[in-house]
Amino acid sequence: AAYALLYVAATLVGAPATPLIIVAALLFGPVPAFLAMAAGSTLSAMLAFLLARSTARAALGERLQRSGASARLCRLVERYDAFVIPVVRLAPILPFAAVNYGMGLTGIGFWRYTLWSAVAIAIGDGVLVFGTDALYDALSGAGMRWPVLAGAAVALLAALVLVAIGRRRRLPGRTYQCEAAPQHAHWRRGEAGG
């Protein structure tokens, strides 16, 4: 529990999550490390989202609404949250903290964000923890243990469920709105402007 709280504090200030998850797998073994890191990662994601939503969004709201890129991101997250959130979590596009704080600036609802983040975090942390354990076992000469195989099976099943859900066109329960950014003449393609 102490390591998970240290992890939450470290990732809230921008420490990279991956090395901390790998160390947890080596220190505590696959199952305890997976449970602690999935809970810690989800808690960190929730806290960073709420911090951004309650502080930075109000301060940056007007500027973000004027930005075409921000408006497009907001629409993308609103429309395809079941796909966008897991992709940015699982693909090493942005650091963990940047995703957490950045999503707090969008119009997505807290619980929807938390749901899709928790699903993707469980998959990503599972791959890191059980993969680290499998690599350690292979390098040390030990055989594959059942938690590693079970973890891989659960991660694969979760990924398949996530893909199936993401392919659905419309998910019920959307309650948030994004406002479109104003179109300025100099933003249009092909026109000069400053």
Side-chain angles (χ1 to χ4, degrees):
Y3 187 86
L5 292 176
L6 174 68
Y7 170 86
V8 169
T11 55
L12 281 174
V13 296
T18 301
L20 297 171
I21 295 169
I22 290 171
V23 168
L26 295 171
L27 289 176
F28 307 115
V31 175
F34 170 72
L35 295 174
M37 292 298 88
S41 295
T42 302
L43 179 60
S44 179
M46 293 166 68
L47 291 174
F49 179 92
L50 290 173
L51 281 169
R53 177 66 52 96
S54 65
T55 59
R57 189 163 187 239
L60 299 173
E62 187 178 316
R63 184 181 301 171
L64 291 173
Q65 287 181 358
R66 288 189 306 238
S67 166
S70 175
R72 284 189 300 275
L73 174 65
C74 190
R75 284 192 303 270
L76 182 69
V77 170
E78 177 186 344
R79 196 173 212 179
Y80 304 106
D81 57 343
F83 180 73
V84 172
I85 293 171
V87 165
V88 297
R89 290 240 174 260
L90 295 172
I93 299 168
L94 295 169
F96 182 71
V99 172
N100 298 336
Y101 288 114
M103 287 294 174
L105 299 176
T106 69
I108 189 170
F110 173 73
W111 292 112
R112 267 192 108 62
Y113 163 79
T114 300
L115 169 71
W116 294 122
S117 289
V119 169
I121 284 169
I123 295 168
D125 286 3
V127 168
L128 283 172
V129 167
F130 291 105
T132 298
D133 189 61
L135 182 62
Y136 179 79
D137 285 349
L139 293 175
S140 67
M144 288 284 245
R145 293 184 281 177
W146 73 266
V148 174
L149 297 175
V154 168
L156 178 61
L157 180 62
L160 292 173
V161 168
L162 192 60
V163 167
I165 291 171
R167 295 190 74 193
R168 292 177 56 185
R169 287 191 165 267
R170 184 134 174 101
L171 294 172
R174 296 184 192 277
T175 58
Y176 44 88
Q177 296 286 329
C178 274
E179 297 175 16
Q183 292 294 327
H184 297 287
H186 66 274
W187 288 356
R188 291 190 194 124
R189 183 175 280 170
E191 291 185 23

